[in-house]
Amino acid sequence: MKQKVVIRLSLNGNDQKCRTKAFKIAVSQSGVESAAITGDGKNQLEVVGEVDAATLTSLLRKNLGQADLVSVGPAGGPAAAAPAPAVAAAAMVQSQPGSYYYAYPSYQYPVYQVTDSYGESNCSIM
């Protein structure tokens, strides 16, 4: 089923390089029929086709930074103008900040040899 996916990108002003990169990522996905930059600030990517919205949003987040999934709905003319309110509410996804971790270096501890001193003792009591 063809659907229309709208993803909000965090583009810095008139950054043509980021827009080009977003287009390349979008059209590299299988099932994409068209992609366009829309919105007042030209910061929304609209993709039409049989595409997985979550996968596309994740790829855009990895390569461009912040990307939010705004809406997913059926593609078409006036017959499918407004998606159901439940679908629109479920489609709102907040972007998660990247998880950062610190890799601690592994230490090489010295190995001490423990010997059995009972057999080699010079003590006559034992």
Side-chain angles (χ1 to χ4, degrees):
M1 179 174 138
K2 288 190 337 184
Q3 59 186 0
K4 181 172 84 170
V5 178
V6 179
I7 300 171
R8 184 178 330 127
L9 305 170
S10 62
L11 300 176
N12 298 330
N14 200 7
D15 194 5
Q16 187 64 29
K17 185 177 177 182
C18 287
R19 286 190 187 120
T20 304
K21 196 170 185 181
F23 274 123
K24 285 182 181 179
I25 293 167
V27 298
S28 69
Q29 296 294 307
S30 63
V32 173
E33 292 181 7
S34 67
I37 294 285
T38 59
D40 293 334
K42 301 289 185 190
N43 63 347
Q44 292 183 349
L45 178 66
E46 183 177 302
V47 178
V48 177
E50 294 181 16
V51 63
D52 185 15
T55 303
L56 179 59
T57 306
S58 296
L59 282 172
L60 289 168
R61 263 189 211 134
K62 283 181 183 177
N63 293 307
L64 294 177
Q66 186 175 358
D68 297 326
L69 185 60
V70 176
S71 67
V72 177
V87 173
M92 294 297 283
V93 176
Q94 296 294 326
S95 67
Q96 298 293 325
S99 60
Y100 299 102
Y101 62 93
Y102 180 75
Y104 293 99
S106 62
Y107 294 104
Q108 294 291 335
Y109 296 104
V111 177
Y112 296 103
Q113 185 175 5
V114 179
T115 59
D116 185 17
S117 62
Y118 294 116
E120 300 173 10
S121 175
N122 292 335
C123 182
S124 61
I125 297 175
M126 295 208 140

